[in-house]
Amino acid sequence: MRALTYDGPYRVKVRNKPEPRIEHPQDGIVRVTSAAICGSDLHLLHGLIPDTRIGSTFGHEFTGVVEEVGPSVQGVGRGDRVMLPFQIFCGGCYYCARGLTSSCENTNPATDVGCGIYGYSHTMGGYDGGQAEYVRVPFIGVDAEKIPDDVEDLDALPLTDAFSTGYQAAEMCELKGGETVLVLGCGPVGLFAMWSAWAMGAGRVIAVDHLDYRLEFARNWLSVETLDFREVDIVTAIKGMTNDRGADAAIDAVGCEAAGSALHRAVGIYMKMEAGSPHALNTAIHATKKAGIISLIGAYGPPYNLVDIGTFMNKQQRMNTGQASVKRYMPRLLEHVRAGRIRPRQVFTHQLPLDRAPEGYRMAAQKRDGCIKVALLPNGTLH
Amino acid sequence: MDPTPQVTTVDDIQDESGYKAVQPPRKPPYWGIDKDPARRPGVPRMRDPQPWPNTRYPPERQPGEPAVPKHGRPNKPFPPVFGTSCPLHGLSGAIKKMAYRLPDHKPTHWMLMLLGDRVESWGTRVGRAAVVALPIAALVLFVRMVRS
């Protein structure tokens, strides 16, 4: 089969690989119909996630059709259209049973930090991802969510990560209604976090980025206020806009490749002396009011970052964090999609066949051609 | 003296900065649809224990060899399901095996892992270059020998 393969930092290629097979009685094999390139795939591409092995296949956001299931699988069968949460979870361990599927204890030997994730390095379990024609799906009966007939693949695809993650980011702001929410980053997760903040009753949503086309997209699609950090000091501006106090809550939807600080980029991204640049997180701490909430959803690699923890402590802030436990959000987000409250496919500015995936990665990494998000179509067909 | 701090207005910011709201922000039609926390699927964060539908627990042990060793925290059980993509090999594999002997809360674990990544990356580059460079070098050597 054709599959995207990692070739070392900054290089990916589409090659032939052996097709996946059932390796566990609860496995399934899915023929991938759509797979997205996520912002966090770029952290892998840039060599920021430890134990990303050459030859592995990326892709943790995908939809597909079930081709084969193992003998112990219940609930899904051959021919079902499904979307898969980006994490692999067993459904019954301590954390899964309590709803925190992203902390499953049964799918990742490499670390206690998180569960197995498709195509996200061997630190996250060593599973191949969905930017391929076929993919192995452990616990398919538990993890897969069937896609209703009236929902198109590209509307379902962001629910597997970006939309669920954005929704959880807003949920972690603990909004009661009327708050000012600062969203750092106008990528797909940031955009979905803005949508979700409105849905949860935010009084004001302020978006920050440095790419004009992304700021314009946020304004046009979500009617939010926008600030360009190249042109204005964000902390000063936010305090100025909020009675000198700061936002009630801030969402870091950027993660470890934040622009805006030459120091952190040099130390973290180029010299690898810290795990990427924590500039967005530090901005969130300074731009949020005292006793406010920081919602950290951007991805950071191990082992540590130069985070302004003293300011965080002195300002009596709280931080809510965590990979989204996607499966719990899918039914509610499907309701929003089916009710026409959002068309998630609008973030896909580009759709490419799998063989052009390297071009998609370059476009996404260099933010060229107005790229918000790229969808790959490994089998050339969509529902 | 007026103790009230001077507050920057939106107009001030608009005039002097990158504030780019071209229209006053409008609340969209779906505003507040999930304002009630009871409608939010992740509230409360940890719910009362309840297995997911179609769960068979505990899962059977997956046969075969994992591609990922268990990290070095004593007493950590090996999980029943694991990935099998791209097993460790060569010098980078030896370095990463050494890293995996340490628990993941030790920074050395991650530093060794990053070192292993760089060794793998450069090893692959050198290996691929050698496929082209060695035959050319051999050819040049052969031509020189024939001429001399």
Side-chain angles (χ1 to χ4, degrees):
Chain A
M1 68 166 184
R2 302 290 283 164
L4 177 112
T5 55
Y6 176 63
D7 250 16
Y10 297 89
R11 289 176 301 164
V12 285
K13 200 166 182 179
V14 178
R15 289 196 169 87
N16 290 320
K17 278 180 91 162
E19 286 187 13
R21 56 185 181 79
I22 301 282
E23 298 185 44
H24 182 272
Q26 295 193 56
D27 278 2
I29 303 296
V30 164
R31 175 167 52 84
V32 180
T33 52
S34 68
I37 296 176
C38 178
S40 53
D41 286 331
L42 303 179
H43 307 330
L44 292 169
L45 178 72
H46 296 158
L48 289 168
I49 307 296
D51 206 5
T52 303
R53 295 186 198 164
I54 289 175
S56 53
T57 296
F58 297 166
H60 55 270
E61 299 181 33
F62 56 93
T63 65
V65 176
V66 179
E67 284 287 306
E68 189 184 351
V69 293
S72 301
V73 171
Q74 298 171 327
V76 296
R78 185 180 160 84
D80 286 339
R81 283 176 69 226
V82 292
M83 52 182 170
L84 281 308
F86 67 86
Q87 60 264 147
I88 299 163
F89 61 97
C90 71
C93 70
Y94 176 88
Y95 291 111
C96 285
R98 286 162 176 78
L100 299 181
T101 57
S102 60
S103 293
C104 176
E105 296 173 317
N106 281 317
T107 55
N108 189 6
T111 176
D112 290 344
V113 171
C115 69
I117 296 178
Y118 297 100
Y120 208 77
S121 83
H122 283 63
T123 294
M124 301 319 269
Y127 299 88
D128 269 334
Q131 290 168 9
E133 289 179 303
Y134 297 91
V135 62
R136 172 196 168 207
V137 177
F139 299 111
I140 190 169
V142 186
D143 296 12
E145 183 82 18
K146 289 182 188 171
I147 305 175
D149 284 342
D150 59 340
V151 175
E152 297 175 16
D153 284 342
L154 289 185
D155 278 325
L157 181 54
L159 272 65
T160 62
D161 182 355
F163 191 6
S164 304
T165 298
Y167 189 94
Q168 180 175 305
E171 195 182 73
M172 291 193 301
C173 292
E174 301 177 16
L175 303 179
K176 295 178 175 64
E179 293 92 339
T180 296
V181 179
L182 171 66
V183 181
L184 298 167
C186 293
V189 170
L191 292 167
F192 287 122
M194 293 170 211
W195 184 93
S196 306
W198 282 135
M200 292 177 202
R204 200 169 175 190
V205 180
I206 304 170
V208 174
D209 207 298
H210 68 295
L211 298 164
D212 285 335
Y213 76 91
R214 290 195 170 196
L215 291 166
E216 188 181 345
F217 193 95
R219 280 196 301 274
N220 293 340
W221 194 37
L222 298 164
S223 301
V224 296
E225 297 166 75
T226 56
L227 289 170
D228 182 342
F229 69 75
R230 287 172 313 180
E231 298 180 22
V232 61
D233 179 76
I234 293 300
V235 177
T236 306
I238 293 292
K239 286 186 176 174
M241 294 160 74
T242 53
N243 291 333
D244 240 16
R245 296 198 178 94
D248 296 297
I251 296 170
D252 173 0
V254 179
C256 64
E257 292 198 68
S261 165
L263 173 72
H264 281 302
R265 287 192 71 81
V267 172
I269 294 176
Y270 302 117
M271 295 163 64
K272 308 271 190 294
M273 299 298 289
E274 60 172 331
S277 163
H279 184 61
L281 182 54
N282 287 337
T283 304
I285 289 169
H286 283 277
T288 302
K289 72 176 187 185
K290 289 166 185 160
I293 294 177
I294 313 286
S295 168
L296 174 57
I297 205 75
Y300 290 86
Y304 46 69
N305 288 94
L306 298 169
V307 175
D308 194 350
I309 202 74
T311 303
F312 178 70
M313 178 270 175
N314 280 312
K315 291 181 77 173
Q316 309 178 61
Q317 293 169 333
R318 281 183 297 140
M319 191 181 296
N320 289 325
T321 66
Q323 301 274 4
S325 292
V326 171
K327 179 79 175 182
R328 33 190 331 188
Y329 294 101
M330 282 176 157
R332 179 64 178 154
L333 300 185
L334 270 174
E335 280 177 32
H336 289 316
V337 173
R338 298 176 85 180
R341 294 181 195 120
I342 182 169
R343 292 196 71 204
R345 66 180 307 157
Q346 286 179 279
V347 299
F348 290 110
T349 47
H350 295 78
Q351 296 175 37
L352 299 173
L354 179 63
D355 279 333
R356 288 176 63 192
E359 181 186 334
Y361 268 88
R362 277 194 297 276
M363 206 150 45
Q366 296 165 11
K367 312 287 185 287
R368 283 199 279 113
D369 196 24
C371 181
I372 302 283
K373 197 167 179 69
V374 179
L376 303 172
L377 313 177
N379 282 284
T381 54
L382 278 172
H383 179 84
Chain B
M1 181 184 152
D2 181 2
T4 309
Q6 188 175 352
V7 174
T8 313
T9 65
V10 169
D11 287 339
D12 292 338
I13 295 169
Q14 177 99 52
D15 286 345
E16 69 186 43
S17 72
Y19 181 80
K20 292 264 185 71
V22 288
Q23 72 276 323
R26 300 181 311 271
K27 288 177 181 169
Y30 57 84
W31 182 88
I33 189 86
D34 286 348
K35 190 174 163 201
D36 178 359
R39 291 189 188 148
R40 301 176 191 170
V43 178
R45 199 81 193 284
M46 285 186 99
R47 66 185 189 196
D48 292 336
Q50 175 194 347
W52 289 85
N54 306 317
T55 295
R56 292 169 60 98
Y57 196 82
E60 308 90 320
R61 163 84 193 192
Q62 177 180 327
E65 279 300 306
V68 188
K70 181 175 77 67
H71 81 94
R73 179 173 63 78
N75 307 322
K76 178 180 168 69
F78 204 99
V81 173
F82 45 79
T84 53
S85 160
C86 306
L88 291 169
H89 62 92
L91 178 60
S92 65
I95 295 170
K96 288 181 183 180
K97 274 182 192 162
M98 208 185 306
Y100 276 115
R101 285 198 201 107
L102 300 166
D104 68 349
H105 56 270
K106 304 279 187 194
T108 320
H109 168 96
W110 300 108
M111 292 309 186
L112 279 171
M113 207 71 83
L114 286 169
L115 174 67
D117 282 343
R118 297 300 167 263
V119 168
E120 185 184 25
S121 169
W122 281 104
T124 306
R125 282 186 200 190
V126 168
R128 285 189 184 146
V131 170
V132 179
L134 288 179
I136 292 173
L139 187 65
V140 169
L141 197 65
F142 177 72
V143 170
R144 283 190 178 178
M145 282 172 66
V146 169
R147 282 186 181 170
S148 63

